[in-house]
Amino acid sequence: AQKVTQAQTEISVVEKEDVTLDCVYETRDTTYYLFWYKQPPSGELVFLIRRNSFDEQNEISGRYSWNFQKSTSSFNFTITASQVVDSAVYFCALSEVHGAGATNKLIFGTGTLLAVQP
Amino acid sequence: DADVTQTPRNRITKTGKRIMLECSQTKGHDRMYWYRQDPGLGLRLIYYSFDVKDINKGEISDGYSVSRQAQAKFSLSLESAIPNQTALYFCATSDRDRGYTDTQYFGPGTRLTVL
């Protein structure tokens, strides 16, 4: 069965610290996609990144970076030099592939609340 | 203007009332979804629709129904609201990608309280 685990319920850091949010997933499929979304205090969900199971290259976008390791079924998210505006709940999600156009269900983790203190 | 809008943004209702949450999108996407978010549980899929004539149940569809009035509109109804349907509800849209899955973009959410 599909499952996404975000074991860190809450993390608190001081501004400018680096922080890594963990995401571990379970799936039977060899083809799947992984996502990260950000939910700031205002409540909306903001898409951050999508990664497919065939692409294990790490990705960097400004202060954000993602480390995908199939060997450990992990897709971790690191924020470098954190800022107060990074304070939010971050969700990791998994989408399995069941053939072209079949399903596109996102399975979400329970989220990690990141609090960045000034 | 936002690409995905939800109305109302906040709603308080009483047990047993019928309530409809509406979602509209200007992204031109074919696929639309309804999720609910509960503290500590993440988001769970209620219903999804790949086009106007294709509606499917998600993980937690009991107590809910949907209507896809047009490509751009997808409504969620609670026929007889109960307190454990108090949650934050999100609409999402996606477009068929060249690959086998596509990225979902979410609306701002509707906070529903059932007393």
Side-chain angles (χ1 to χ4, degrees), chain B residues 2 4 13 21 31 37 54 57-58 63-64 66 81 86 88 100 104:
Chain B
V4 184
T13 191
L21 309 182
R31 302 176 172 188
Q37 181 183 8
D54 178 27
K57 292 182 177 180
Y64 301 95
V66 290
T86 293
L88 183 57
Y100 290 99
Q104 294 182 28

Side-chain angles (χ1 to χ4, degrees), chain B residues 64-82:
Chain B
Y64 301 95
S65 62
V66 290
S67 173
R68 185 81 184 267
Q69 300 96 325
Q71 184 204 35
K73 296 183 182 298
F74 192 36
S75 300
L76 176 72
S77 293
L78 287 68
E79 297 301 325
S80 179
I82 56 177

